[in-house]
Amino acid sequence: MADRAEDRDGLRLDRLHVPLGPALLDWPAGLVLRLSLQGDVVQQADVEATAPTSPYPPFWNEPWLQARVGERVSRGDAARRLCAAHLDSLGRFFAVTGWADLAARARHVRDRALAGASTAELSGLVRPLARRAARSRTLRRLTAGLGSLPAGHAHHLGVTGPALAADGDAHSRMLVWLDAVGRSAAACDDSDVLDGAEAVGPRGRLDGPVPPSQAMLNALPGLLEGTEFACARIIVASLDPDLDELARLPVPGVAHG
């Protein structure tokens, strides 16, 4: 569907309305973006998210949610899940930037992490992957400057976790994932008990007023508006919201509105 509206320079140009999702490859399941485009520039972005119905907690957050209700969870188990979660996100990120081989490597290591591979094996698989991605000038050129989210603004929006720590653009968020993958791969054999107060999952704090992925969805329109259409998928992949979190399972000690 198209209509006409003034662009940023005051010219009246055709405006095209384009939906993205929910069934795109390497796209967060259940997410729909309704974009208004003038030329190839996003003028407006509206987010629609369909929360799944499931009696189970979000898979990637399980260790921290179990620890919060008093179940015994080792720090190694939490590190393993964190490592796999970030590799899963990196797989989508590499795929939408056109790096199919690196995406396949990330997903292979993710599967090895979930299958219980040792710390030595995981670290040996992660190091070359992280080194190649971090040093790639092509990947930096494709992703630097996209979806810039300064830490102050992220904090204002309630964003926590890697997107807050990155304090920057899509490339910065990828580097934070790579660093976390390396550290968590090295901690997978830690048998100490996870403290239930450490309610920080792969996408951020689990004891806040909204799920961490909801805060990222709230940030998306501002990150997308003014960017080129071709960059929208990279920006979404660099946040990788997990809509399983929107089921809002009750967490003890947390008041939901």
Side-chain angles (χ1 to χ4, degrees), residues 146-189:
L146 299 183
S148 183
L149 183 59
H153 188 50
H155 182 73
H156 173 73
L157 294 171
V159 174
T160 57
L164 174 65
D167 187 21
D169 54 21
H171 189 263
S172 300
R173 292 190 280 275
M174 179 202 70
L175 294 177
V176 169
W177 280 337
L178 291 175
D179 180 63
V181 163
R183 286 186 284 106
S184 56
C188 285
D189 292 339

Side-chain angles (χ1 to χ4, degrees), residues 8-222:
R8 291 174 295 179
D9 298 321
L11 302 175
R12 290 189 66 79
L13 299 175
D14 286 342
R15 186 163 60 178
L16 185 65
H17 304 285
V18 178
L20 276 180
L24 282 173
L25 193 63
D26 297 308
W27 182 262
L31 175 64
V32 178
L33 293 181
R34 300 196 180 280
L35 305 180
S36 297
L37 304 175
Q38 283 182 315
D40 62 350
V41 176
V42 177
Q43 299 295 330
Q44 183 176 340
D46 295 315
V47 175
E48 295 179 12
T50 303
T53 56
S54 170
Y56 304 107
F59 174 76
W60 296 118
N61 294 338
E62 273 184 343
W64 299 272
L65 295 177
Q66 290 170 344
R68 279 181 62 78
V69 297
E71 295 185 30
R72 189 186 188 286
V73 179
S74 75
R75 299 179 69 86
D77 286 342
R80 182 178 298 280
R81 192 65 63 91
L82 186 74
C83 180
H86 288 335
L87 285 164
D88 190 67
S89 296
L90 284 164
R92 272 186 287 281
F93 183 78
F94 294 144
V96 300
T97 53
W99 282 54
D101 63 331
L102 212 54
R105 288 191 186 191
R107 287 161 175 161
H108 169 68
V109 187
R110 173 202 62 192
D111 293 344
R112 291 301 302 145
L114 292 176
S118 68
T119 289
E121 178 186 347
L122 285 178
S123 295
L125 291 170
V126 162
R127 276 194 292 269
L129 184 151
R131 187 164 51 242
R132 182 179 175 192
R135 293 180 178 179
S136 171
R137 294 181 181 179
T138 302
L139 197 53
R140 176 182 291 275
R141 179 174 52 80
L142 287 172
T143 59
L146 299 183
S148 183
L149 183 59
H153 188 50
H155 182 73
H156 173 73
L157 294 171
V159 174
T160 57
L164 174 65
D167 187 21
D169 54 21
H171 189 263
S172 300
R173 292 190 280 275
M174 179 202 70
L175 294 177
V176 169
W177 280 337
L178 291 175
D179 180 63
V181 163
R183 286 186 284 106
S184 56
C188 285
D189 292 339
D190 189 340
S191 59
D192 290 346
V193 176
L194 180 69
D195 188 338
E198 296 181 31
V200 183
R203 289 165 175 84
R205 297 204 64 88
L206 304 176
D207 55 357
V210 297
S213 289
Q214 181 61 63
M216 290 193 285
L217 292 176
N218 294 341
L220 261 181

